[in-house]
Amino acid sequence: MVNSTLSYFILGAYMHVGGLKYFCFMLTAMLYVVIITANTSLTVVICMNRSLHEPMYLFLCSLFINELYGSTGFFPFLLVQILSDIHTVSASLCFLQIFCLYTYANIQFSNLAIMSYDRYLAICCPLQYNTRMTSNRSVIFIIVIWLYSFVKFLITLSLNIRLTLCGNIINSLYCNNYFIVKLACSDTKVNNIYGLFDTFLSVVVPLFPILFSYMKILKVCFSGSKQTRQKAVSTCTPHLASLLNFSFACLFATLQSRFDVSSVSSVLRIIVLVYLLIIPLLNPIMYGLQTSKIRNLFCSKMLAGHRDTM
């Protein structure tokens, strides 16, 4: 249960911008619609075409669905707060958003980790790829990643909900797990210990398959043929870009919550905020443009739909 002495939180990072809030609302709403459209379109293309029911595309489908999940956990909440004059949120809704955002981040990083291993098998072990990474096995990987992320953060959430809080002001635009723990006036030793363990599971463990896979891929690139290098570049570039984008986004979000950024220029903070907002749009853009099979099928569906309307 949510602490009975606390029914709501106040989000203290919002500024009074007057009539400009309607402009901010329109821009944010348009971005959310584009994110939903792009990720949904590519998910439908992969699900509806049997030729894309291969491990790499199934992992991409999981990635796009997770972008929809994370965006839905963030943008509707942000849109309501932009229009509101009083920036409060119920405790239960706040904990729900924390659950959505943190499980989204864990699923994303785990998904990118297993995708790096998939690329390693495709480039370094092409003859064994079809036996070592089947479609059924990739579906099992995806289910395990999602269930593991939900269960792992449910433990964190249950530890936080039991805390006695001595304040309700969160200096953030959204609900943040770290700020909730900072409000506690009861013992947080268990939370801190499990927090370190959770960080190890969420960050360090997925790094092992990522580093292992790319070390092996680089070794093959340096010793292999020109064709092998071209295949590695074409298949790994979107994944590397996605991995770096998401890692930087998590780093920026963590630094903003851990350190006092009031001395940082407002322009730089706005740039970082915009970057964090467009992250869910980068994956469909990169994979939609770089992956020829998805791009060709998507364009053919669009042309077919256009001919049907004529």
Side-chain angles (χ1 to χ4, degrees):
M1 291 178 61
V2 175
N3 195 327
S4 59
T5 61
L6 185 66
S7 59
Y8 67 93
F9 292 102
I10 299 171
L11 300 171
Y14 286 90
M15 299 179 293
H16 180 69
V17 292
L20 195 61
K21 68 181 181 180
Y22 298 107
F23 177 70
C24 294
F25 176 85
M26 288 298 296
L27 284 180
T28 308
M30 287 171 61
L31 176 60
Y32 181 47
V33 169
V34 172
I35 289 170
I36 293 296
T37 303
N39 283 285
T40 302
S41 300
L42 293 178
T43 300
V44 170
V45 167
I46 293 172
C47 291
M48 297 298 289
N49 290 276
R50 296 187 66 85
S51 61
L52 295 180
H53 292 180
E54 299 172 5
M56 185 181 81
Y57 301 108
L58 293 175
F59 290 132
L60 283 178
C61 188
S62 173
L63 206 66
F64 298 144
I65 292 172
N66 191 44
E67 298 289 14
L68 291 171
Y69 168 65
S71 300
T72 304
F74 180 76
F75 276 92
F77 176 90
L78 181 64
L79 290 169
V80 170
Q81 293 299 325
I82 288 173
L83 287 182
S84 178
D85 293 322
I86 303 173
H87 303 293
T88 60
V89 56
S90 68
S92 56
L93 186 59
C94 192
F95 283 116
L96 177 61
Q97 186 183 45
I98 289 172
F99 177 80
C100 290
L101 295 182
Y102 280 77
T103 50
Y104 156 75
N106 196 89
I107 292 166
Q108 194 82 342
F109 204 44
S110 300
N111 210 115
L112 290 168
I114 198 66
M115 285 174 70
S116 67
Y117 180 68
D118 174 73
R119 292 301 81 209
Y120 153 71
L121 290 178
I123 295 166
C124 302
C125 312
L127 298 179
Q128 303 168 26
Y129 178 77
N130 290 330
T131 55
R132 293 176 66 177
M133 185 61 77
T134 63
S135 296
N136 289 339
R137 191 168 293 176
S138 62
V139 170
I140 292 171
F141 275 130
I142 291 168
I143 293 171
V144 168
I145 285 170
W146 282 74
L147 289 178
Y148 159 76
S149 300
F150 286 150
V151 171
K152 183 164 68 67
F153 195 74
L154 274 174
I155 299 172
T156 303
L157 202 62
S158 63
L159 290 173
N160 291 349
I161 289 175
R162 71 175 181 83
L163 292 174
T164 302
L165 305 180
C166 296
N168 67 342
I169 299 176
I170 302 173
N171 189 28
S172 176
L173 296 174
Y174 57 93
C175 292
N176 186 298
N177 184 62
Y178 178 73
F179 285 123
I180 299 290
V181 177
K182 280 180 68 176
L183 292 174
C185 48
S186 57
D187 184 25
T188 60
K189 187 181 294 182
V190 176
N191 297 69
N192 294 332
I193 293 172
Y194 183 77
L196 291 173
F197 178 66
D198 182 64
T199 302
F200 178 82
L201 291 178
S202 302
V203 179
V204 179
V205 172
L207 271 178
F208 284 117
I210 293 171
L211 294 175
F212 168 81
S213 299
Y214 276 102
M215 284 171 62
K216 292 290 187 180
I217 290 170
L218 282 172
K219 185 178 178 180
V220 168
C221 287
F222 284 123
S223 61
S225 63
K226 183 180 178 181
Q227 185 180 3
T228 302
R229 287 194 293 271
Q230 288 176 339
K231 180 183 178 182
V233 170
S234 63
T235 58
C236 292
T237 298
H239 179 265
L240 265 178
S242 178
L243 181 63
L244 290 173
N245 279 327
F246 185 70
S247 298
F248 281 127
C250 290
L251 178 64
F252 290 145
T254 303
L255 290 176
Q256 281 187 324
S257 64
R258 294 296 194 275
F259 301 101
D260 182 14
V261 295
S262 58
S263 58
V264 179
S265 69
S266 57
V267 175
L268 182 59
R269 278 187 284 168
I270 290 171
I271 291 172
V272 171
L273 175 61
V274 171
Y275 174 65
L276 293 175
L277 290 176
I278 65 172
I279 282 294
L281 189 58
L282 296 180
N283 280 331
I285 289 175
M286 286 186 297
Y287 284 105
L289 294 175
Q290 288 287 331
T291 311
S292 58
K293 208 168 181 180
I294 293 179
R295 184 176 64 248
N296 294 337
L297 282 169
F298 182 76
C299 290
S300 64
K301 291 289 183 183
M302 293 291 287
L303 288 172
H306 178 68
R307 282 196 296 267
D308 291 341
T309 56
M310 291 179 66

